[in-house]
Amino acid sequence: MGTKAICPGSFDPVTHGHLDIIRRAARTFDHVVVAILSNPRKQPLFTLQERLEMLGEVTSDLPNVSVQSAEGLLVDFVRSQGAHAIVKGLRPIQDFEYEWQMGMVNRDLDPEIETYFLMSSKEYSYLSSSIVRELAGYGASLDEHVPPRVAERLRAKFASKQKL
Amino acid sequence: MGTKAICPGSFDPVTHGHLDIIRRAARTFDHVVVAILSNPRKQPLFTLQERLEMLGEVTSDLPNVSVQSAEGLLVDFVRSQGAHAIVKGLRPIQDFEYEWQMGMVNRDLDPEIETYFLMSSKEYSYLSSSIVRELAGYGASLDEHVPPRVAERLRAKFASKQKL
Amino acid sequence: MGTKAICPGSFDPVTHGHLDIIRRAARTFDHVVVAILSNPRKQPLFTLQERLEMLGEVTSDLPNVSVQSAEGLLVDFVRSQGAHAIVKGLRPIQDFEYEWQMGMVNRDLDPEIETYFLMSSKEYSYLSSSIVRELAGYGASLDEHVPPRVAERLRAKFASKQKL
Amino acid sequence: MGTKAICPGSFDPVTHGHLDIIRRAARTFDHVVVAILSNPRKQPLFTLQERLEMLGEVTSDLPNVSVQSAEGLLVDFVRSQGAHAIVKGLRPIQDFEYEWQMGMVNRDLDPEIETYFLMSSKEYSYLSSSIVRELAGYGASLDEHVPPRVAERLRAKFASKQKL
Amino acid sequence: MGTKAICPGSFDPVTHGHLDIIRRAARTFDHVVVAILSNPRKQPLFTLQERLEMLGEVTSDLPNVSVQSAEGLLVDFVRSQGAHAIVKGLRPIQDFEYEWQMGMVNRDLDPEIETYFLMSSKEYSYLSSSIVRELAGYGASLDEHVPPRVAERLRAKFASKQKL
Amino acid sequence: MGTKAICPGSFDPVTHGHLDIIRRAARTFDHVVVAILSNPRKQPLFTLQERLEMLGEVTSDLPNVSVQSAEGLLVDFVRSQGAHAIVKGLRPIQDFEYEWQMGMVNRDLDPEIETYFLMSSKEYSYLSSSIVRELAGYGASLDEHVPPRVAERLRAKFASKQKL
């Protein structure tokens, strides 16, 4: 049956940094499920449907990776998938506090589920979806940060915003 | 064949914190190899042979865990085991700098080998072998920190030191 | 007359972590005043009156602890109580930046008033009111995080929200 | 021609901490341009025009310092000035994460432009515009934190707010 | 009878930063005992006797402060004094990891004993005995860092070293 | 005359990370003096003469960079060069505490001298001389970390050590 890991995030949009973590987890674990979390308190730039499409496109070459949306508590989703491991990327500076707290809360909720942290690759160590969205708003080049199809969608999104 | 992870450390001596990480890794991975590293610049309290014995004893109930000593570069040992994953415990405060640097150096040496960090459990989040050795030197109680057999050996070690 | 310490916070709602700090301060200081601060920029989940009631209930067994609401600058409240010491819990990761800054600002405002930091207990080291509110919103179990009476009020609060 | 440095910030309002960094940069570099950035997502307390006036007043004794407003990406502004160096103050605790991330993003956008960090002076090491605004809202003394003319404008601003 | 606090340290030598913490603790607590710890693994610059003398001199104006040497575990010393509180200064950057770990270990050893952390004053926030010793070795001015009598002893100490 | 900056370090040996900082400083400042500090408490791998030679070789293409050895307090050396600026590389994790403390001590010693921190480039963000020495001891590849001539000298150094 094999080991299975969940890679959660809001992926608004997916960046090279996210993809790097997904690819690396897919080399260690037999199956990887990318879980798109919806945060009821944040208005995303991309709809859940758009994020599902983008993640599907950019992981289409990874046979042991699938993409799903997840509502409610993450640990409930992990259990529903018959999984016991979460894999999260950790950037050296900005992620530590938040990810550690979330990881500990998840351990309290279900001690059977483990969060494994992978160090972000050096080249993506300061990349985040929020910075990508901000750069897109300024019309800056996005090729170093996101796959081409995602860059295209970002440009389209901000072009349509301009028109309003 | 299944997934395999290496749990490296100097284990001088093994603590409840180490054991906790080993047990949790052994639930996620099919095989776990505990690798006792020798640091040529540090004089350990316990000989390599003693550390092998102690780790063998305290992991004897874990069928998918084995114990070995490792010399030279960790990435060479990992490769020699046919493994691609290292699992390290991360304590919230004191480990981050050193472990991150070691993890990045290992990625530079072999990008195929991944280090997965597991958060130390709350009850062991400030425990370290060096504190255990120091407490043993003061004759303090060790039961919360190490398994009974290890506590015994620590007492014996410090009793013999006293005599010198 | 004896020493007096102020334990400030927004307590929205009070958690086991807050209570732990209050109890520990009450063993060191002769009198402890829990000060419920109102933050004019944040809309709390519980009204000031509800928070006063909850804190009164959960500290009713501590004879040298009283509860009050505090408006304006904290140092003004501390002085108005004839006190010179503030006691704050410090969680290892997430509190440091904010609490240190607040502590330094308060020292600038009144150098006679000292902030004493107590390390949060291990079991509450990642607990916060905002996480408790979030978990309550998902209907997760709250017993490890807040006293029973507070858990009850949280369930009632979110049940009524559901109905709207 | 000489070396030129840009000191960016939102300066809402300028504090003694900002002024300290500007003065120190003006001793090292031949020309210093203070760049007032507008953040489209934040509503400032002072208008851009007010901030330009205040910075002009408080730097009027520094012959090699000029003040300008800057829109869009900071690196574009730096290039438009024929400059290659940004100088930012760094406070020991609260700035590190954000400033590092911004600095790395700017390096990605233009590797020819360097960000130089100056350590905030001890006496201003916890000072920030947001704390100044908060203290002004409480009517606290501001003389230690901002120049007299800025303190005056803050009092006027909050007096007019009171009236609404 | 009143509240009693222990201020531990190696005080090799006592600095203005140490004195500042002792004075501030002496305003909050009825009695303060300065405890000079001996670290069996470190060779101090000043003998225990010299450190007792220096601390006696520089605290002679504080009627509720006494000075003692302490061997073995700190918590044993605290109990032997009938005290339940330890007061430690915390500098913003360099102390956090070590002091937190020591504080947690002491809580494990005796949960009845509390460590209260006081923020170091801004002007002493980077001062340490080891830097003072290093500066003394270079013949640098010490007046900002230690009381005059301590500066004198440091000069004498290094003058005698020179002669050897 | 122009602006002058000092780049201090022990350079035992110089790495690509050091060179990167020196090159970047040499684009901002008119003159850069690399200052090789001798730490009387540490036994270096390379003699001062060897380090002067290596730094001379690897900076020979930078016309506005010179190399010197510096004894005593760094601020005295900076003044003796008629300079007022120090430029130091800052790696995101491991340098902060130490460099900040040193920077603050130097400001206390001479407030006219400023330390400017440059963020290490991503690819060198975990590189250090001590790791290079350790890798050289294991015979690992050094090409990513140091210039070819330095790699050669490291191999020669460790080959001669083997023979002893």
Side-chain angles (χ1 to χ4, degrees), chain D:
Chain D
M1 200 193 61
T3 56
K4 193 185 215 174
I6 309 298
C7 284
S10 44
F11 304 105
D12 187 32
V14 59
T15 67
H16 280 317
H18 295 132
L19 260 178
D20 177 59
I21 297 295
I22 293 167
R23 280 177 194 283
R24 289 158 60 193
R27 288 199 314 234
T28 299
F29 291 88
D30 295 321
H31 305 287
V32 167
V33 179
V34 180
I36 307 181
L37 303 175
S38 28
N39 184 336
R41 278 185 316 282
K42 269 203 223 159
Q43 179 63 29
L45 178 65
F46 289 100
T47 66
L48 183 56
Q49 186 53 37
E50 289 172 316
R51 288 180 277 158
L52 276 163
E53 284 168 26
M54 283 188 282
L55 271 160
E57 286 164 21
V58 298
T59 62
S60 62
D61 62 319
L62 300 168
N64 61 336
V65 172
S66 62
V67 183
Q68 296 199 29
S69 67
E71 285 189 19
L73 290 171
L74 175 59
V75 292
D76 291 337
F77 178 81
V78 176
R79 264 193 308 250
S80 78
Q81 296 288 319
H84 295 276
I86 296 164
V87 173
K88 289 281 306 184
L90 200 61
R91 289 168 300 172
I93 307 279
Q94 64 263 58
D95 285 336
F96 191 68
E97 293 182 25
Y98 179 77
E99 293 298 344
W100 197 271
Q101 189 180 24
M102 279 303 97
M104 292 308 285
V105 169
N106 285 332
R107 283 209 78 197
D108 274 350
L109 289 169
D110 187 338
E112 298 288 306
I113 293 176
E114 297 291 353
T115 303
Y116 287 90
F117 290 109
L118 270 181
M119 294 175 292
S120 65
S121 294
K122 282 177 199 166
E123 55 269 44
Y124 309 130
S125 56
Y126 300 98
L127 183 56
S128 72
S129 294
S130 70
I131 280 179
V132 164
R133 292 193 304 269
E134 185 160 4
L135 292 177
Y138 284 119
S141 162
L142 302 168
D143 298 344
E144 282 184 62
H145 305 314
V146 296
R149 295 290 294 271
V150 176
E152 220 169 90
R153 281 175 185 258
L154 275 162
R155 277 190 292 270
K157 189 68 91 180
F158 279 93
S160 70
K161 287 212 163 177
Q162 225 77 327
K163 284 186 198 143
L164 296 180

Side-chain angles (χ1 to χ4, degrees), chain C residues 2-3 20 24-30 84-85 87 90-93 96 99-104 107-108 111-122, chain E residues 2-3 20 24-30 84-85 87 90-93 96 99-104 107-108 111-122:
Chain C
T3 56
D20 177 59
R24 290 158 59 192
R27 288 199 311 234
T28 299
F29 291 88
D30 295 320
H84 294 276
V87 173
L90 201 62
R91 290 167 300 173
I93 307 279
F96 192 68
E99 294 298 345
W100 196 273
Q101 189 181 27
M102 280 303 98
M104 292 307 285
R107 284 209 77 197
D108 275 349
E112 298 287 307
I113 293 175
E114 297 290 353
T115 303
Y116 286 91
F117 291 109
L118 268 181
M119 295 176 291
S120 65
S121 293
K122 283 177 200 168
Chain E
T3 57
D20 177 59
R24 289 159 59 193
R27 287 200 313 236
T28 299
F29 291 87
D30 296 320
H84 294 277
V87 173
L90 201 61
R91 289 168 301 170
I93 307 278
F96 191 67
E99 293 297 345
W100 197 273
Q101 189 180 26
M102 279 304 98
M104 292 308 285
R107 283 208 78 197
D108 275 349
E112 298 289 306
I113 293 175
E114 298 291 353
T115 303
Y116 287 91
F117 291 109
L118 269 181
M119 295 175 291
S120 65
S121 293
K122 283 176 199 167

Side-chain angles (χ1 to χ4, degrees), chain E residues 16-89:
Chain E
H16 280 318
H18 295 132
L19 260 178
D20 177 59
I21 297 295
I22 294 167
R23 278 177 195 283
R24 289 159 59 193
R27 287 200 313 236
T28 299
F29 291 87
D30 296 320
H31 306 285
V32 168
V33 178
V34 180
I36 307 181
L37 303 174
S38 29
N39 184 336
R41 278 185 315 282
K42 270 203 220 158
Q43 179 63 30
L45 178 66
F46 289 100
T47 66
L48 183 56
Q49 186 54 38
E50 289 172 315
R51 289 181 276 159
L52 276 164
E53 284 169 25
M54 282 189 282
L55 270 161
E57 286 164 21
V58 298
T59 62
S60 61
D61 62 319
L62 300 168
N64 61 335
V65 172
S66 62
V67 184
Q68 297 200 30
S69 66
E71 286 188 21
L73 290 170
L74 175 59
V75 292
D76 290 338
F77 177 81
V78 176
R79 265 193 307 249
S80 78
Q81 295 288 320
H84 294 277
I86 297 164
V87 173
K88 290 280 305 184

Side-chain angles (χ1 to χ4, degrees), chain A residues 20-53:
Chain A
D20 177 59
I21 296 294
I22 294 167
R23 280 177 193 284
R24 288 158 60 191
R27 288 199 313 235
T28 299
F29 290 88
D30 295 320
H31 305 285
V32 168
V33 179
V34 179
I36 307 181
L37 304 174
S38 29
N39 184 337
R41 277 184 316 282
K42 271 204 222 156
Q43 179 63 28
L45 178 66
F46 289 100
T47 66
L48 182 56
Q49 186 54 37
E50 289 173 315
R51 289 180 276 159
L52 276 164
E53 283 169 26

